[in-house]
Amino acid sequence: MIRRTTLDEFIITGQRSMQDASGEFSGLLRHLGIAAKIINRVVNKAGLLDILGLDGGINTTGDTVQKLDIYANDMMIEYLRNSGICAGVASEENEDFIDFYDRNLLRSSYVVVIDPLDGSSNIDVNISVGTIFGIYKRLSHEDRRLEKRDFCQRGSELVAAGYVLYGTSTMLVYTTGKSVNGFTYDRGVGEFCLSHPDMRIPERGKYYSINQGYSQSFSPGISRYLDHCAGQNKALRYIGSMVADVHRTLCLGGIFLYPVTRSNPEGKLRILYECNPLSMLIEKAGGKSVNENNERILDLEVNALHQRCSIIIGSAKDVDEAMEFIG
Ligand code: P6P
């Protein structure tokens, strides 16, 4: 029986090697892991708990909200609030950020950005969904209330980023700026166990991932690149759940693209809690992540919590090749 390192052990060990060994940052990571376990428990039983189906609400960014979205959002926010070591949260599901000032007992210096349940349109048909998170050091003084600038920071300022993929198995993948490590949830012991140490994205892959349904509204450069991919016998894979599509890209190599379209002239995906955390992970694993103007995603100015961008992310050689066509 292989003895696997648990997430808690890995975090504590990592804490010992960090300058900021206050334990606050480690505690925050551990609370995110606990929230992930609770969401996992419900996501896995969703069909039985009769919480499927449209809630009928519309979230901040106009996506149709599923009941499980609300549950995941409430869970993440409560766990982070009760941790006493998080100053506040910005979520896809909330118009504005949430300041934990009254409950931030330790006057935490960290804020969290989250997409609590990404790809939720797939919930009812049992296709993988995910949670995405990013952690920033706050910019405002710890004794004061949070400000928008604490959240609207460049992705390059992230101190940690990760996702939970609720798929055939449940995985938590995160980085604190050095390596990218993957943990698989072992229901038997109720722990995330280290299963994919030091993940590296292949420098090139055979998969390209894009919603071809929008092909009529892609730029000529994107269309030229897609013709090139088809001519190269690359395989098209598109799940419609960014966490699942990016996780496959991280594991097998290749490229994921969500360009601007007529219905989303700025791009559909949100910089703060989708593109930046996933771009940090892919870059730390050796890949690249840019927008259609070939600007590094992590360098983009973030001026609004729900700001969108186009994204081309994946194996370095595939992204470079794509940009030769997209220009
Ligand atoms: P489309 C899910 O709603 C999401 O935000 C991402 O997870 C996913 O990559 C994208 O939207 C899918 O969008 O327009 O292809 O359905």
Side-chain angles (χ1 to χ4, degrees), residues 18-35:
M18 280 170 68
Q19 293 81 7
D20 164 22
S22 68
E24 186 187 354
F25 181 65
S26 304
L28 191 47
L29 282 172
R30 294 196 355 250
H31 274 83
L32 284 163
I34 297 168

Side-chain angles (χ1 to χ4, degrees), residues 63 92 115 118-122 211 214 238 240-243 245 256 258 264 268-270 274:
D63 292 349
E92 181 196 31
D115 183 351
D118 175 74
S120 52
S121 56
N122 291 312
N211 185 337
Y214 303 125
Y238 191 73
S241 182
M242 188 181 190
V243 173
D245 281 317
F256 170 84
Y258 205 111
N264 286 295
K268 174 181 182 182
L269 302 172
R270 277 57 59 121
E274 289 173 323

Side-chain angles (χ1 to χ4, degrees), residues 29-76:
L29 282 172
R30 294 196 355 250
H31 274 83
L32 284 163
I34 297 168
K37 289 183 196 175
I38 293 173
I39 295 171
N40 174 61
R41 189 179 60 195
V42 174
V43 166
N44 281 336
K45 295 181 191 161
L48 304 175
L49 297 178
D50 187 33
I51 60 175
L52 285 175
L54 299 184
D55 172 75
I58 296 289
N59 71 3
T60 307
T61 56
D63 292 349
T64 302
V65 173
Q66 306 262 353
K67 287 178 185 174
L68 216 47
D69 270 352
I70 295 173
Y71 176 85
N73 193 47
D74 292 350
M75 201 44 56
M76 287 296 273

Side-chain angles (χ1 to χ4, degrees), residues 86-102:
C86 174
V89 175
S91 169
E92 181 196 31
E93 298 300 336
N94 297 81
E95 177 82 29
D96 204 351
F97 62 83
I98 299 167
D99 188 342
F100 297 157
Y101 186 78
D102 56 335

Side-chain angles (χ1 to χ4, degrees), residues 4-7 10 163 170-175 179-185 192-200 247 250-251 281:
R4 291 202 183 277
T5 303
T6 66
L7 176 63
F10 188 85
Y163 59 78
T170 297
M171 275 193 75
L172 185 149
V173 177
Y174 82 94
T175 182
S179 57
V180 175
N181 294 283
F183 299 79
T184 299
Y185 187 58
F192 281 104
C193 298
L194 183 62
S195 53
H196 297 67
D198 194 17
M199 297 178 81
R200 304 294 294 169
H247 182 70
L250 170 59
C251 295
L281 281 162

Side-chain angles (χ1 to χ4, degrees), residues 149-204:
R149 67 188 177 107
D150 290 311
F151 296 95
C152 290
Q153 300 185 51
R154 285 189 175 82
S156 53
E157 299 303 314
L158 281 164
V159 293
Y163 59 78
V164 184
L165 178 61
Y166 311 100
T168 44
S169 64
T170 297
M171 275 193 75
L172 185 149
V173 177
Y174 82 94
T175 182
T176 56
K178 297 186 185 72
S179 57
V180 175
N181 294 283
F183 299 79
T184 299
Y185 187 58
D186 182 336
R187 286 178 181 77
V189 296
E191 291 288 354
F192 281 104
C193 298
L194 183 62
S195 53
H196 297 67
D198 194 17
M199 297 178 81
R200 304 294 294 169
I201 187 171
E203 60 176 15
R204 188 183 286 281

